[in-house]
Amino acid sequence: MRVAIIGGGPGGLYAAALLKRLDPERDITVWERGAPEDTFGFGVVLSDETLGGIEHADPVVFRALQREFTRWDDIDVHHRGRAVTSGGHGFAAVDRRTLLAILHDRCRDLGVTVRTREAAPAAERLARDHDLVVAADGAGSATRAAHAAVFRPTLTGHRCRYIWLATDLALDAFRFEIAETEHGVMQAHGYPYRPGVSTFIVEMHEDVWRRAGLDRLDEAESIARCEKIFADALHGHSLRGNRSRWIAFTTVVNERWRHKNIVLLGDAAHTAHFSIGSGTKLAMEDALALAACLHEQPGVPEALAAYEAERKPVVASTQRAARASLEWFEHLEQYAAQPPRQFAFNLLTRSRRVTHDNLRLRDADFTASVEREFGTGPDTPPMFTPFTLRGLTLRNRVVVSPMDMYSATDGTPGDFHLVHLGARALGGAGLVMTEMVCVSPEGRITPGCAGLWNDGQEAAWRRVTDFVHARPGSAIGLQLGHSGRKGSTRLMWEGIDQPLPEGNWPLAAPSPLPYHPHVSQVPHALDDAGLAAIREQFAASAVRGARAGFDLLELHCAHGYLLSSFLSPLTNRRTDAYGRDLAGRLRFPLEVFDAVREVWPDDRPMTVRISATDWAEGGTTADDALEIARAFAAHGADAIDVSTGQVVPDEAPDYGRSYQTPYADRIRNELGLPVIAVGAISSWDDVNSLILAGRADLCALARPHLYDPNWTLHAAAEQGYSGPGAPWPLPYQAGSRRPPTGRTDAPRPRLTLDV
């Protein structure tokens, strides 16, 4: 088997060594256009997981690395004259040149041909006389570019600039240093990688970088400026470069990683921001997986397919975490005023991979100190701290998110709603929200949607709220909305967003645009009379909601329903005062909000649910969402419930765990507004992490509450919490501890005798 490897970085060299070790008969050649010692950057950080894989795959390489590693456990966060330390993390770093030397030696010993200072022939040419071509030619991969039609890469630039430097200051921890300058916030990421030497990466938002004039400086001038900015952190030590320049990080994603017998590896296939680990780590993991798949599969095509199937989900997860981390640093300035321990906790949990529970295991004292600063009581998880909006104090931070049930009759809730909402109130949530309750028959999404436009519906809702309020501390909220162009459709399980086969009612919208072109009904554009009528319907329903006993009212301005469709430029094409720019698009939703707030009792809070992005080109952006939230707050909204999407059918959401929470985080911390975070928040650990980090005030969960109506009580039991934040109903107290699960934890019989 003949193998050509383009690129002599750690990923390419490690792949060559592993492939040769597994089959010494392989003829393997590595091309590297630079010299063996040429490299950028300084130290490389590898995780214990990666090191474990190296140890099993090639003990020789592992032992050589082990002799060179610098190890440490702590992370230090320095901000506003305070140093906060969190321990128990476990890092290992090595000089990048040393790593390359180890891999070069291993390749030589195994008989791999390494051609340095020699550019590789084109991958297409190599593929003609080699069985396998591995393109490990970096983030600027020429191989990827030459076959872009097959690999279909997406390159996304980001808004921070960074420069990779080193210092002779001997750090003993992973150190984050925050510098608040006249130009804006800058940060340094530092860590040791050999005795007496540390990596020191300086990073800042591009706007800050330009205001500071760093865009006009060469390498030496940039180093001198960084030494001045971080003089206190460096304690008189100097910085040095290595062909260092200011870089804007680019995220590389490829739809495919293989083409015939050519395969991408490392940065050629993917990149992940340095703030969560190194690209070297990912590249070496790629090499390990590729070698294993070639060893296990009957041929190259099968091996490359298995390699891509194995690595793509792992890399996608890493890239989601990396994006969350880099975006946290892009918006670092919004967290600068947080208390020091909360700031450190926020930084440590920024990628959502490290969580409250995880940190508590690593460093219980640190986590307890963050909780004390936050104000939690003894042995009280953050999610079980109370929260107040106007005259309503919620006993905990858990919200049962609004979920359409499609189970009403002529808009009237029945026994199903009593049991559904009542069960979740019994289950311990601080606030239980109704589904979107429609303000008119024409404002329903489906014939099964609930409403609040007549006396019978009001009485039926009163039955539900009375049940909830009979349990002290339980609160229930009403979400009011109008379907707009997404109405007159079938029940969800009969065909979501599909028109009714018969019995349709007319639809209204800001503009005559159907939801599904050529499928959905075309709505009529509302005139002044129609707008006035709908405002009155919202106000009348709010009056009924107050009489029905709801504790909180939420105005639904999200998910492409009527008020949401006024806000989005993709659905509002009006040229009158209710369209054109964002101020115009906000006008009608704000008029409705004002009409509702005027009749809603003053001591009861009002929230607004928004779609903070349409996930579609030309739609609402995160910057627009800030202005939308700011406008509703100015009109009296007590909190913003921050969701995303569902505005247009051709959206492309970036799904993942807690994927919508950064939008809530930004609104909360840039505008200082209370927020409800939603979106794939599935564990109590996520809730604790978001609340304690200051990224959200309340967390709304939907599907977890469908899976388990007692989700909040079970979260309390699993954390060993019993207190006012999650009181068990008296009839249920016997079940407040998790039942035994069999004999799996019992002592095992002795079957052998040690002698």
Side-chain angles (χ1 to χ4, degrees), residues 212-469:
L214 292 164
D215 57 324
R216 301 188 293 273
L217 304 185
D218 62 19
E219 181 181 12
E221 292 168 329
S222 293
I223 290 172
R225 181 71 71 82
C226 290
E227 285 178 342
K228 183 177 180 181
I229 293 167
F230 291 98
D232 291 343
L234 291 168
H235 301 295
H237 290 263
S238 62
L239 294 172
R240 61 182 173 85
N242 175 18
R243 297 180 296 164
S244 302
R245 58 190 179 89
W246 291 101
I247 303 168
F249 189 82
T250 300
T251 298
V252 175
V253 176
N254 286 279
E255 286 188 32
R256 286 176 57 89
W257 292 13
R258 66 192 197 279
H259 170 48
K260 299 178 182 176
N261 61 336
I262 302 170
V263 66
L264 302 178
L265 183 145
D267 284 355
H270 49 73
T271 59
H273 193 252
F274 61 85
S275 62
I276 68 153
S278 79
T280 300
K281 168 188 176 299
L282 286 176
M284 294 183 74
E285 290 174 353
D286 284 353
L288 219 164
L290 177 62
C293 290
L294 284 162
H295 187 65
E296 295 160 357
Q297 298 298 324
V300 169
E302 296 88 349
L304 299 190
Y307 160 72
E308 183 173 333
E310 177 180 333
R311 288 298 292 163
K312 278 188 79 173
V314 175
V315 168
S317 175
T318 300
Q319 288 186 314
R320 282 194 297 271
R323 186 178 63 252
S325 179
L326 74 85
E327 288 176 352
W328 191 93
F329 283 110
E330 283 180 343
H331 297 107
L332 175 61
E333 195 156 1
Q334 72 189 26
Y335 306 115
Q338 285 189 322
R341 290 184 179 84
Q342 185 181 52
F343 179 86
F345 180 88
N346 195 356
L347 187 154
L348 293 172
T349 59
R350 66 194 180 280
S351 73
R352 302 193 288 274
R353 284 194 158 184
V354 176
T355 63
H356 171 264
D357 199 45
N358 185 266
L359 274 176
R360 190 169 55 178
L361 289 173
R362 297 182 189 200
D363 190 340
D365 290 342
F366 165 75
T367 307
S369 73
V370 181
E371 291 172 344
R372 285 194 301 272
E373 185 180 75
F374 182 77
T376 65
D379 301 317
T380 301
M383 65 186 292
F384 295 118
T385 55
F387 188 71
T388 298
L389 292 169
R390 291 204 184 212
L392 176 65
T393 296
L394 303 175
R395 65 189 176 193
N396 61 53
R397 307 300 185 98
V398 179
V399 178
V400 176
S401 197
M403 294 175 279
D404 290 318
M405 292 288 105
Y406 311 105
S407 299
T409 302
D410 295 326
T412 303
D415 288 347
F416 177 89
H417 295 82
L418 175 65
V419 174
H420 167 67
L421 295 171
R424 280 138 190 93
L426 287 173
L431 175 65
V432 177
M433 292 297 301
T434 68
E435 61 196 270
M436 184 176 90
V437 174
C438 306
V439 297
S440 68
E442 299 78 22
R444 291 174 296 166
I445 309 166
T446 75
C449 288
L452 191 47
W453 64 79
N454 64 38
D455 292 345
Q457 293 161 354
E458 180 183 325
W461 283 119
R462 184 80 212 195
R463 182 174 173 234
V464 174
T465 63
D466 282 348
F467 179 88
V468 172
H469 291 148

Side-chain angles (χ1 to χ4, degrees), residues 567-579:
L567 293 172
S568 173
L570 296 177
T571 51
N572 184 344
R573 305 288 177 80
R574 298 174 76 104
T575 58
D576 63 2
Y578 291 98

